[in-house]
Amino acid sequence: MKKHAGMRKTGLAAMGVMVGAAALLAGCGNETNPAAGGSAGSSSAPAASQEPLKLSVMTLMYAEPPKADSEVQKQIEAYTNTKLDISWVPNSSYKEKVNVTIASGELPKALLVQNNKDSNILSAVRAGVFWEIGPYLKDYPNLSKMNPAVFDNIKVDGKIYGLFRARDLSTYGILFRSDWLKNVGLSAPKTLDDLYNVLKAFTLNDPDKNGKADTVGLTEEKTMDGFGVVASILGAPNSWEVKDGKLSPDFLTPEYFEAMKFYKKLYDEKLIKQDFPVLNNQQKKDDINQGKAGAVISNMIDGAGYQATLAKSFPGADIDVVSRIQGPKGERLPGGVGYNSVFMFPKSSVKTEAELKRILGFYDKLSDQKMLDLLGWGIEGKHYKMEDGKPVFIDQKLQDTEVGSSYLQLQIAKYTAKTTGKETPLMEKYGKMIKENEAIAVNNPTNPLVSETQTTKGSELKPIIDDARTKYILGKIDEAGWKQAIEQWRKAGGDKVIEEFSAQYAKNGK
């Protein structure tokens, strides 16, 4: 991996361990051909007389690092008038690499930070290590249009210290085998009772018509991604709520406990994979792809992959999706923070305001439609072609390897900002749902807040609740045991987290 040119020593070496690891949504985007939506965008082309900006960047990758002389990088550099020096770091080792980079004192001009509320990053921000960029955003056509509510979520002490990588607010839904649904004579679920009946039929009524009792209704994993969706449907808050002017965690609510009872019912009746507490995300996907399970609560974007894989192994298999389930408080889904990681700009590497402005200009131009199309679709004739006036992948795997798993990680706009391509009915359906579901997304009021105790002890506190939740579902503890776990959480620092979040909330005047 290349070293960054022009990186300088900084006092950051004293920061120690930095960013917590986080999974990025895989995605795809679009190219340079105007026919694919590649207009020049709102920014004008760089002045030919201006020297290219030398920009060192550290960011993630998910495959092999691309060559610096790749056609994609050449097009990016030409369009943005930039000479890029990119350090590509595998997602699996990103945290370690960032720690080593900080310890060495050599920082890039643009550093991807996965958790800008990490205690070490907070300390660095407050020590003046990173540029505050909020006052400059209004001067850029694309940056000035970024969601101000999401900027609120990344603020530190009321100020903006980076550019967030935008994500849709609500992408979760219930993916299910619609061919199985027809086989058992049911309709798509509209309520949790409907969902229960579907899962029961998928388990007991031989939905694949092979004469064997070898299917299960719902597959899940140890992190229980689907639980938050069920809890939200039942009326629980999204992680935290404001109650009597103070912040209170979701697991103190009766609605959260009702969600636990729903999962326990599924487990007791064997309508959910019995070994879900030891499964990972890939194993959960395998349950669907191998025809073992009929439903999963996950990112709706996964639906296209399930459909493609199932069609090869099970002719006639079909995937459908629902996202709006009626609950006691209407239709609700947990909302995300609206971003995944932040690009920050160290003052030790970016020496002047003029250089900072040019770097912000790079990210602004990278958000022009022409660049979004290049990063999303790749190069016409190689990665995609035009059909009926819309782009369609020639080789999506090649595009993902050469563009999506690397250069797309430079993008701050949503992955879905690319020009819309030729899509399947399922893709069109969940794409519309993702946009419409922003209206029912329940916000987490602690998104813009900082609790020092949560930051430093969160990794110790969270397992207390998560483990007790799983044990309750498996029948290893009862309600009294669950309440004991809550008390343990409180005494281990939870009450302090509540106190700190509440104080910050009051200070912000919310």
PDB file of all heavy atoms in Angstrom, residues 372-405:
ATOM      1  N   LEU A 372     -21.133  10.837 -10.253  1.00  0.00           N
ATOM      2  CA  LEU A 372     -21.973   9.837  -9.596  1.00  0.00           C
ATOM      3  C   LEU A 372     -22.236   8.670 -10.541  1.00  0.00           C
ATOM      4  O   LEU A 372     -22.282   7.508 -10.132  1.00  0.00           O
ATOM      5  CB  LEU A 372     -23.295  10.451  -9.156  1.00  0.00           C
ATOM      6  CG  LEU A 372     -23.211  11.580  -8.125  1.00  0.00           C
ATOM      7  CD1 LEU A 372     -24.605  12.123  -7.824  1.00  0.00           C
ATOM      8  CD2 LEU A 372     -22.535  11.103  -6.852  1.00  0.00           C
ATOM      9  N   ASP A 373     -22.409   8.981 -11.817  1.00  0.00           N
ATOM     10  CA  ASP A 373     -22.641   7.937 -12.811  1.00  0.00           C
ATOM     11  C   ASP A 373     -21.388   7.112 -13.073  1.00  0.00           C
ATOM     12  O   ASP A 373     -21.454   5.895 -13.239  1.00  0.00           O
ATOM     13  CB  ASP A 373     -23.132   8.569 -14.120  1.00  0.00           C
ATOM     14  CG  ASP A 373     -24.540   9.141 -13.981  1.00  0.00           C
ATOM     15  OD1 ASP A 373     -25.193   8.868 -12.959  1.00  0.00           O
ATOM     16  OD2 ASP A 373     -24.979   9.869 -14.884  1.00  0.00           O
ATOM     17  N   LEU A 374     -20.243   7.768 -13.085  1.00  0.00           N
ATOM     18  CA  LEU A 374     -18.983   7.040 -13.264  1.00  0.00           C
ATOM     19  C   LEU A 374     -18.748   6.087 -12.097  1.00  0.00           C
ATOM     20  O   LEU A 374     -18.421   4.912 -12.281  1.00  0.00           O
ATOM     21  CB  LEU A 374     -17.819   8.023 -13.365  1.00  0.00           C
ATOM     22  CG  LEU A 374     -16.412   7.405 -13.389  1.00  0.00           C
ATOM     23  CD1 LEU A 374     -16.221   6.534 -14.624  1.00  0.00           C
ATOM     24  CD2 LEU A 374     -15.339   8.480 -13.317  1.00  0.00           C
ATOM     25  N   LEU A 375     -18.925   6.575 -10.873  1.00  0.00           N
ATOM     26  CA  LEU A 375     -18.684   5.758  -9.685  1.00  0.00           C
ATOM     27  C   LEU A 375     -19.731   4.665  -9.522  1.00  0.00           C
ATOM     28  O   LEU A 375     -19.460   3.612  -8.948  1.00  0.00           O
ATOM     29  CB  LEU A 375     -18.661   6.648  -8.440  1.00  0.00           C
ATOM     30  CG  LEU A 375     -17.544   7.685  -8.376  1.00  0.00           C
ATOM     31  CD1 LEU A 375     -17.699   8.567  -7.152  1.00  0.00           C
ATOM     32  CD2 LEU A 375     -16.183   7.018  -8.370  1.00  0.00           C
ATOM     33  N   GLY A 376     -20.928   4.905 -10.020  1.00  0.00           N
ATOM     34  CA  GLY A 376     -22.009   3.944  -9.839  1.00  0.00           C
ATOM     35  C   GLY A 376     -22.101   2.894 -10.926  1.00  0.00           C
ATOM     36  O   GLY A 376     -22.360   1.724 -10.643  1.00  0.00           O
ATOM     37  N   TRP A 377     -21.902   3.314 -12.171  1.00  0.00           N
ATOM     38  CA  TRP A 377     -22.045   2.368 -13.285  1.00  0.00           C
ATOM     39  C   TRP A 377     -20.717   1.946 -13.893  1.00  0.00           C
ATOM     40  O   TRP A 377     -20.620   0.875 -14.478  1.00  0.00           O
ATOM     41  CB  TRP A 377     -22.910   2.996 -14.387  1.00  0.00           C
ATOM     42  CG  TRP A 377     -24.350   3.111 -14.010  1.00  0.00           C
ATOM     43  CD1 TRP A 377     -25.017   4.243 -13.643  1.00  0.00           C
ATOM     44  CD2 TRP A 377     -25.298   2.049 -13.941  1.00  0.00           C
ATOM     45  NE1 TRP A 377     -26.324   3.948 -13.346  1.00  0.00           N
ATOM     46  CE2 TRP A 377     -26.521   2.614 -13.528  1.00  0.00           C
ATOM     47  CE3 TRP A 377     -25.240   0.671 -14.188  1.00  0.00           C
ATOM     48  CZ2 TRP A 377     -27.683   1.848 -13.358  1.00  0.00           C
ATOM     49  CZ3 TRP A 377     -26.386  -0.085 -14.014  1.00  0.00           C
ATOM     50  CH2 TRP A 377     -27.590   0.495 -13.606  1.00  0.00           C
ATOM     51  N   GLY A 378     -19.698   2.776 -13.775  1.00  0.00           N
ATOM     52  CA  GLY A 378     -18.418   2.434 -14.376  1.00  0.00           C
ATOM     53  C   GLY A 378     -18.279   3.063 -15.753  1.00  0.00           C
ATOM     54  O   GLY A 378     -18.743   4.182 -15.991  1.00  0.00           O
ATOM     55  N   ILE A 379     -17.657   2.354 -16.656  1.00  0.00           N
ATOM     56  CA  ILE A 379     -17.352   2.860 -17.999  1.00  0.00           C
ATOM     57  C   ILE A 379     -18.226   2.153 -19.023  1.00  0.00           C
ATOM     58  O   ILE A 379     -18.311   0.925 -19.039  1.00  0.00           O
ATOM     59  CB  ILE A 379     -15.859   2.661 -18.321  1.00  0.00           C
ATOM     60  CG1 ILE A 379     -15.004   3.483 -17.329  1.00  0.00           C
ATOM     61  CG2 ILE A 379     -15.551   3.046 -19.758  1.00  0.00           C
ATOM     62  CD1 ILE A 379     -13.532   3.206 -17.422  1.00  0.00           C
ATOM     63  N   GLU A 380     -18.847   2.944 -19.882  1.00  0.00           N
ATOM     64  CA  GLU A 380     -19.738   2.378 -20.888  1.00  0.00           C
ATOM     65  C   GLU A 380     -18.968   1.462 -21.833  1.00  0.00           C
ATOM     66  O   GLU A 380     -17.853   1.775 -22.270  1.00  0.00           O
ATOM     67  CB  GLU A 380     -20.433   3.477 -21.697  1.00  0.00           C
ATOM     68  CG  GLU A 380     -21.480   2.912 -22.661  1.00  0.00           C
ATOM     69  CD  GLU A 380     -22.236   3.990 -23.396  1.00  0.00           C
ATOM     70  OE1 GLU A 380     -21.747   5.143 -23.426  1.00  0.00           O
ATOM     71  OE2 GLU A 380     -23.306   3.683 -23.948  1.00  0.00           O
ATOM     72  N   GLY A 381     -19.567   0.334 -22.150  1.00  0.00           N
ATOM     73  CA  GLY A 381     -18.935  -0.627 -23.037  1.00  0.00           C
ATOM     74  C   GLY A 381     -18.096  -1.644 -22.293  1.00  0.00           C
ATOM     75  O   GLY A 381     -17.810  -2.721 -22.820  1.00  0.00           O
ATOM     76  N   LYS A 382     -17.709  -1.311 -21.078  1.00  0.00           N
ATOM     77  CA  LYS A 382     -16.910  -2.225 -20.256  1.00  0.00           C
ATOM     78  C   LYS A 382     -17.728  -2.740 -19.074  1.00  0.00           C
ATOM     79  O   LYS A 382     -17.785  -3.950 -18.825  1.00  0.00           O
ATOM     80  CB  LYS A 382     -15.647  -1.531 -19.750  1.00  0.00           C
ATOM     81  CG  LYS A 382     -14.739  -2.448 -18.933  1.00  0.00           C
ATOM     82  CD  LYS A 382     -13.480  -1.713 -18.479  1.00  0.00           C
ATOM     83  CE  LYS A 382     -12.541  -2.665 -17.736  1.00  0.00           C
ATOM     84  NZ  LYS A 382     -11.314  -1.967 -17.263  1.00  0.00           N
ATOM     85  N   HIS A 383     -18.341  -1.812 -18.334  1.00  0.00           N
ATOM     86  CA  HIS A 383     -19.109  -2.186 -17.157  1.00  0.00           C
ATOM     87  C   HIS A 383     -20.616  -2.143 -17.389  1.00  0.00           C
ATOM     88  O   HIS A 383     -21.358  -2.866 -16.736  1.00  0.00           O
ATOM     89  CB  HIS A 383     -18.766  -1.263 -15.987  1.00  0.00           C
ATOM     90  CG  HIS A 383     -17.315  -1.250 -15.624  1.00  0.00           C
ATOM     91  ND1 HIS A 383     -16.512  -0.149 -15.790  1.00  0.00           N
ATOM     92  CD2 HIS A 383     -16.504  -2.218 -15.127  1.00  0.00           C
ATOM     93  CE1 HIS A 383     -15.284  -0.418 -15.390  1.00  0.00           C
ATOM     94  NE2 HIS A 383     -15.249  -1.679 -14.988  1.00  0.00           N
ATOM     95  N   TYR A 384     -21.047  -1.269 -18.304  1.00  0.00           N
ATOM     96  CA  TYR A 384     -22.480  -1.143 -18.552  1.00  0.00           C
ATOM     97  C   TYR A 384     -22.734  -0.801 -20.014  1.00  0.00           C
ATOM     98  O   TYR A 384     -21.826  -0.399 -20.755  1.00  0.00           O
ATOM     99  CB  TYR A 384     -23.105  -0.072 -17.645  1.00  0.00           C
ATOM    100  CG  TYR A 384     -22.909   1.344 -18.144  1.00  0.00           C
ATOM    101  CD1 TYR A 384     -23.899   1.985 -18.890  1.00  0.00           C
ATOM    102  CD2 TYR A 384     -21.737   2.045 -17.884  1.00  0.00           C
ATOM    103  CE1 TYR A 384     -23.723   3.279 -19.365  1.00  0.00           C
ATOM    104  CE2 TYR A 384     -21.545   3.323 -18.349  1.00  0.00           C
ATOM    105  CZ  TYR A 384     -22.544   3.946 -19.096  1.00  0.00           C
ATOM    106  OH  TYR A 384     -22.363   5.213 -19.563  1.00  0.00           O
ATOM    107  N   LYS A 385     -23.974  -0.956 -20.431  1.00  0.00           N
ATOM    108  CA  LYS A 385     -24.414  -0.577 -21.765  1.00  0.00           C
ATOM    109  C   LYS A 385     -25.764   0.111 -21.649  1.00  0.00           C
ATOM    110  O   LYS A 385     -26.396   0.087 -20.588  1.00  0.00           O
ATOM    111  CB  LYS A 385     -24.527  -1.804 -22.660  1.00  0.00           C
ATOM    112  CG  LYS A 385     -25.525  -2.851 -22.168  1.00  0.00           C
ATOM    113  CD  LYS A 385     -25.534  -4.077 -23.059  1.00  0.00           C
ATOM    114  CE  LYS A 385     -26.498  -5.145 -22.491  1.00  0.00           C
ATOM    115  NZ  LYS A 385     -26.533  -6.359 -23.342  1.00  0.00           N
ATOM    116  N   MET A 386     -26.204   0.712 -22.720  1.00  0.00           N
ATOM    117  CA  MET A 386     -27.490   1.390 -22.712  1.00  0.00           C
ATOM    118  C   MET A 386     -28.549   0.519 -23.373  1.00  0.00           C
ATOM    119  O   MET A 386     -28.331  -0.035 -24.445  1.00  0.00           O
ATOM    120  CB  MET A 386     -27.394   2.734 -23.443  1.00  0.00           C
ATOM    121  CG  MET A 386     -26.377   3.709 -22.863  1.00  0.00           C
ATOM    122  SD  MET A 386     -26.733   4.168 -21.144  1.00  0.00           S
ATOM    123  CE  MET A 386     -28.272   5.057 -21.337  1.00  0.00           C
ATOM    124  N   GLU A 387     -29.684   0.366 -22.685  1.00  0.00           N
ATOM    125  CA  GLU A 387     -30.830  -0.359 -23.237  1.00  0.00           C
ATOM    126  C   GLU A 387     -32.082   0.469 -22.997  1.00  0.00           C
ATOM    127  O   GLU A 387     -32.363   0.837 -21.854  1.00  0.00           O
ATOM    128  CB  GLU A 387     -30.992  -1.739 -22.581  1.00  0.00           C
ATOM    129  CG  GLU A 387     -29.980  -2.767 -23.026  1.00  0.00           C
ATOM    130  CD  GLU A 387     -30.271  -4.155 -22.464  1.00  0.00           C
ATOM    131  OE1 GLU A 387     -31.308  -4.304 -21.770  1.00  0.00           O
ATOM    132  OE2 GLU A 387     -29.477  -5.076 -22.693  1.00  0.00           O
ATOM    133  N   ASP A 388     -32.796   0.762 -24.059  1.00  0.00           N
ATOM    134  CA  ASP A 388     -34.020   1.563 -23.955  1.00  0.00           C
ATOM    135  C   ASP A 388     -33.757   2.886 -23.238  1.00  0.00           C
ATOM    136  O   ASP A 388     -34.574   3.376 -22.457  1.00  0.00           O
ATOM    137  CB  ASP A 388     -35.118   0.790 -23.216  1.00  0.00           C
ATOM    138  CG  ASP A 388     -35.468  -0.533 -23.895  1.00  0.00           C
ATOM    139  OD1 ASP A 388     -35.434  -0.575 -25.140  1.00  0.00           O
ATOM    140  OD2 ASP A 388     -35.756  -1.512 -23.182  1.00  0.00           O
ATOM    141  N   GLY A 389     -32.584   3.455 -23.516  1.00  0.00           N
ATOM    142  CA  GLY A 389     -32.245   4.745 -22.944  1.00  0.00           C
ATOM    143  C   GLY A 389     -31.815   4.714 -21.495  1.00  0.00           C
ATOM    144  O   GLY A 389     -31.620   5.761 -20.873  1.00  0.00           O
ATOM    145  N   LYS A 390     -31.640   3.508 -20.933  1.00  0.00           N
ATOM    146  CA  LYS A 390     -31.229   3.392 -19.543  1.00  0.00           C
ATOM    147  C   LYS A 390     -30.003   2.496 -19.434  1.00  0.00           C
ATOM    148  O   LYS A 390     -29.873   1.519 -20.180  1.00  0.00           O
ATOM    149  CB  LYS A 390     -32.369   2.821 -18.696  1.00  0.00           C
ATOM    150  CG  LYS A 390     -33.566   3.758 -18.548  1.00  0.00           C
ATOM    151  CD  LYS A 390     -34.596   3.171 -17.589  1.00  0.00           C
ATOM    152  CE  LYS A 390     -35.755   4.130 -17.373  1.00  0.00           C
ATOM    153  NZ  LYS A 390     -36.748   3.585 -16.417  1.00  0.00           N
ATOM    154  N   PRO A 391     -29.106   2.791 -18.480  1.00  0.00           N
ATOM    155  CA  PRO A 391     -27.929   1.941 -18.293  1.00  0.00           C
ATOM    156  C   PRO A 391     -28.281   0.608 -17.647  1.00  0.00           C
ATOM    157  O   PRO A 391     -29.182   0.532 -16.809  1.00  0.00           O
ATOM    158  CB  PRO A 391     -27.035   2.770 -17.364  1.00  0.00           C
ATOM    159  CG  PRO A 391     -27.979   3.652 -16.624  1.00  0.00           C
ATOM    160  CD  PRO A 391     -29.102   3.956 -17.568  1.00  0.00           C
ATOM    161  N   VAL A 392     -27.573  -0.425 -18.069  1.00  0.00           N
ATOM    162  CA  VAL A 392     -27.733  -1.738 -17.466  1.00  0.00           C
ATOM    163  C   VAL A 392     -26.351  -2.378 -17.424  1.00  0.00           C
ATOM    164  O   VAL A 392     -25.552  -2.210 -18.347  1.00  0.00           O
ATOM    165  CB  VAL A 392     -28.729  -2.614 -18.259  1.00  0.00           C
ATOM    166  CG1 VAL A 392     -28.278  -2.795 -19.702  1.00  0.00           C
ATOM    167  CG2 VAL A 392     -28.924  -3.962 -17.575  1.00  0.00           C
ATOM    168  N   PHE A 393     -26.029  -3.061 -16.357  1.00  0.00           N
ATOM    169  CA  PHE A 393     -24.696  -3.648 -16.222  1.00  0.00           C
ATOM    170  C   PHE A 393     -24.442  -4.722 -17.274  1.00  0.00           C
ATOM    171  O   PHE A 393     -25.307  -5.554 -17.547  1.00  0.00           O
ATOM    172  CB  PHE A 393     -24.510  -4.269 -14.828  1.00  0.00           C
ATOM    173  CG  PHE A 393     -24.280  -3.270 -13.740  1.00  0.00           C
ATOM    174  CD1 PHE A 393     -25.171  -3.161 -12.679  1.00  0.00           C
ATOM    175  CD2 PHE A 393     -23.171  -2.439 -13.763  1.00  0.00           C
ATOM    176  CE1 PHE A 393     -24.964  -2.240 -11.660  1.00  0.00           C
ATOM    177  CE2 PHE A 393     -22.951  -1.514 -12.750  1.00  0.00           C
ATOM    178  CZ  PHE A 393     -23.855  -1.409 -11.703  1.00  0.00           C
ATOM    179  N   ILE A 394     -23.251  -4.678 -17.843  1.00  0.00           N
ATOM    180  CA  ILE A 394     -22.761  -5.767 -18.685  1.00  0.00           C
ATOM    181  C   ILE A 394     -22.194  -6.846 -17.777  1.00  0.00           C
ATOM    182  O   ILE A 394     -22.448  -8.034 -17.935  1.00  0.00           O
ATOM    183  CB  ILE A 394     -21.663  -5.269 -19.652  1.00  0.00           C
ATOM    184  CG1 ILE A 394     -22.238  -4.242 -20.625  1.00  0.00           C
ATOM    185  CG2 ILE A 394     -21.030  -6.448 -20.408  1.00  0.00           C
ATOM    186  CD1 ILE A 394     -21.174  -3.561 -21.467  1.00  0.00           C
ATOM    187  N   ASP A 395     -21.396  -6.389 -16.808  1.00  0.00           N
ATOM    188  CA  ASP A 395     -20.760  -7.297 -15.844  1.00  0.00           C
ATOM    189  C   ASP A 395     -20.718  -6.578 -14.502  1.00  0.00           C
ATOM    190  O   ASP A 395     -19.782  -5.829 -14.222  1.00  0.00           O
ATOM    191  CB  ASP A 395     -19.350  -7.660 -16.321  1.00  0.00           C
ATOM    192  CG  ASP A 395     -18.696  -8.750 -15.479  1.00  0.00           C
ATOM    193  OD1 ASP A 395     -19.118  -8.911 -14.316  1.00  0.00           O
ATOM    194  OD2 ASP A 395     -17.787  -9.421 -15.981  1.00  0.00           O
ATOM    195  N   GLN A 396     -21.738  -6.789 -13.695  1.00  0.00           N
ATOM    196  CA  GLN A 396     -21.821  -6.083 -12.420  1.00  0.00           C
ATOM    197  C   GLN A 396     -20.686  -6.482 -11.478  1.00  0.00           C
ATOM    198  O   GLN A 396     -20.181  -5.667 -10.715  1.00  0.00           O
ATOM    199  CB  GLN A 396     -23.168  -6.334 -11.748  1.00  0.00           C
ATOM    200  CG  GLN A 396     -23.349  -5.509 -10.470  1.00  0.00           C
ATOM    201  CD  GLN A 396     -24.772  -5.553  -9.955  1.00  0.00           C
ATOM    202  OE1 GLN A 396     -25.648  -6.147 -10.552  1.00  0.00           O
ATOM    203  NE2 GLN A 396     -25.009  -4.904  -8.820  1.00  0.00           N
ATOM    204  N   LYS A 397     -20.252  -7.746 -11.559  1.00  0.00           N
ATOM    205  CA  LYS A 397     -19.154  -8.191 -10.703  1.00  0.00           C
ATOM    206  C   LYS A 397     -17.873  -7.447 -11.052  1.00  0.00           C
ATOM    207  O   LYS A 397     -17.109  -7.044 -10.159  1.00  0.00           O
ATOM    208  CB  LYS A 397     -18.953  -9.700 -10.849  1.00  0.00           C
ATOM    209  CG  LYS A 397     -17.905 -10.256  -9.886  1.00  0.00           C
ATOM    210  CD  LYS A 397     -17.822 -11.774  -9.977  1.00  0.00           C
ATOM    211  CE  LYS A 397     -16.781 -12.328  -9.001  1.00  0.00           C
ATOM    212  NZ  LYS A 397     -16.675 -13.804  -9.080  1.00  0.00           N
ATOM    213  N   LEU A 398     -17.639  -7.244 -12.357  1.00  0.00           N
ATOM    214  CA  LEU A 398     -16.451  -6.506 -12.780  1.00  0.00           C
ATOM    215  C   LEU A 398     -16.538  -5.059 -12.310  1.00  0.00           C
ATOM    216  O   LEU A 398     -15.544  -4.489 -11.828  1.00  0.00           O
ATOM    217  CB  LEU A 398     -16.308  -6.563 -14.296  1.00  0.00           C
ATOM    218  CG  LEU A 398     -15.094  -5.828 -14.885  1.00  0.00           C
ATOM    219  CD1 LEU A 398     -13.801  -6.503 -14.440  1.00  0.00           C
ATOM    220  CD2 LEU A 398     -15.179  -5.790 -16.412  1.00  0.00           C
ATOM    221  N   GLN A 399     -17.709  -4.471 -12.439  1.00  0.00           N
ATOM    222  CA  GLN A 399     -17.891  -3.092 -11.987  1.00  0.00           C
ATOM    223  C   GLN A 399     -17.649  -2.985 -10.488  1.00  0.00           C
ATOM    224  O   GLN A 399     -16.990  -2.050 -10.016  1.00  0.00           O
ATOM    225  CB  GLN A 399     -19.303  -2.602 -12.329  1.00  0.00           C
ATOM    226  CG  GLN A 399     -19.530  -1.110 -12.090  1.00  0.00           C
ATOM    227  CD  GLN A 399     -19.876  -0.753 -10.655  1.00  0.00           C
ATOM    228  OE1 GLN A 399     -20.234  -1.607  -9.850  1.00  0.00           O
ATOM    229  NE2 GLN A 399     -19.745   0.517 -10.319  1.00  0.00           N
ATOM    230  N   ASP A 400     -18.159  -3.944  -9.740  1.00  0.00           N
ATOM    231  CA  ASP A 400     -17.991  -3.916  -8.299  1.00  0.00           C
ATOM    232  C   ASP A 400     -16.521  -4.068  -7.920  1.00  0.00           C
ATOM    233  O   ASP A 400     -16.025  -3.406  -7.009  1.00  0.00           O
ATOM    234  CB  ASP A 400     -18.812  -5.025  -7.644  1.00  0.00           C
ATOM    235  CG  ASP A 400     -18.762  -4.942  -6.122  1.00  0.00           C
ATOM    236  OD1 ASP A 400     -19.193  -3.907  -5.577  1.00  0.00           O
ATOM    237  OD2 ASP A 400     -18.285  -5.889  -5.495  1.00  0.00           O
ATOM    238  N   THR A 401     -15.809  -4.927  -8.648  1.00  0.00           N
ATOM    239  CA  THR A 401     -14.392  -5.158  -8.362  1.00  0.00           C
ATOM    240  C   THR A 401     -13.544  -3.943  -8.703  1.00  0.00           C
ATOM    241  O   THR A 401     -12.663  -3.549  -7.934  1.00  0.00           O
ATOM    242  CB  THR A 401     -13.876  -6.375  -9.153  1.00  0.00           C
ATOM    243  OG1 THR A 401     -14.631  -7.530  -8.773  1.00  0.00           O
ATOM    244  CG2 THR A 401     -12.401  -6.623  -8.877  1.00  0.00           C
ATOM    245  N   GLU A 402     -13.819  -3.323  -9.854  1.00  0.00           N
ATOM    246  CA  GLU A 402     -12.965  -2.245 -10.351  1.00  0.00           C
ATOM    247  C   GLU A 402     -13.415  -0.851  -9.911  1.00  0.00           C
ATOM    248  O   GLU A 402     -12.628   0.090  -9.948  1.00  0.00           O
ATOM    249  CB  GLU A 402     -12.902  -2.293 -11.876  1.00  0.00           C
ATOM    250  CG  GLU A 402     -12.255  -3.553 -12.425  1.00  0.00           C
ATOM    251  CD  GLU A 402     -12.079  -3.544 -13.933  1.00  0.00           C
ATOM    252  OE1 GLU A 402     -12.681  -2.667 -14.593  1.00  0.00           O
ATOM    253  OE2 GLU A 402     -11.334  -4.393 -14.442  1.00  0.00           O
ATOM    254  N   VAL A 403     -14.665  -0.719  -9.497  1.00  0.00           N
ATOM    255  CA  VAL A 403     -15.192   0.607  -9.161  1.00  0.00           C
ATOM    256  C   VAL A 403     -15.923   0.604  -7.818  1.00  0.00           C
ATOM    257  O   VAL A 403     -15.566   1.325  -6.889  1.00  0.00           O
ATOM    258  CB  VAL A 403     -16.151   1.132 -10.258  1.00  0.00           C
ATOM    259  CG1 VAL A 403     -16.480   2.601  -9.992  1.00  0.00           C
ATOM    260  CG2 VAL A 403     -15.555   0.960 -11.649  1.00  0.00           C
ATOM    261  N   GLY A 404     -16.962  -0.223  -7.717  1.00  0.00           N
ATOM    262  CA  GLY A 404     -17.836  -0.180  -6.551  1.00  0.00           C
ATOM    263  C   GLY A 404     -17.163  -0.501  -5.236  1.00  0.00           C
ATOM    264  O   GLY A 404     -17.497   0.077  -4.195  1.00  0.00           O
ATOM    265  N   SER A 405     -16.214  -1.427  -5.251  1.00  0.00           N
ATOM    266  CA  SER A 405     -15.555  -1.834  -4.006  1.00  0.00           C
ATOM    267  C   SER A 405     -14.413  -0.905  -3.622  1.00  0.00           C
ATOM    268  O   SER A 405     -13.815  -1.064  -2.562  1.00  0.00           O
ATOM    269  CB  SER A 405     -15.025  -3.268  -4.141  1.00  0.00           C
ATOM    270  OG  SER A 405     -16.099  -4.165  -4.234  1.00  0.00           O
TER     271      SER A 405
END
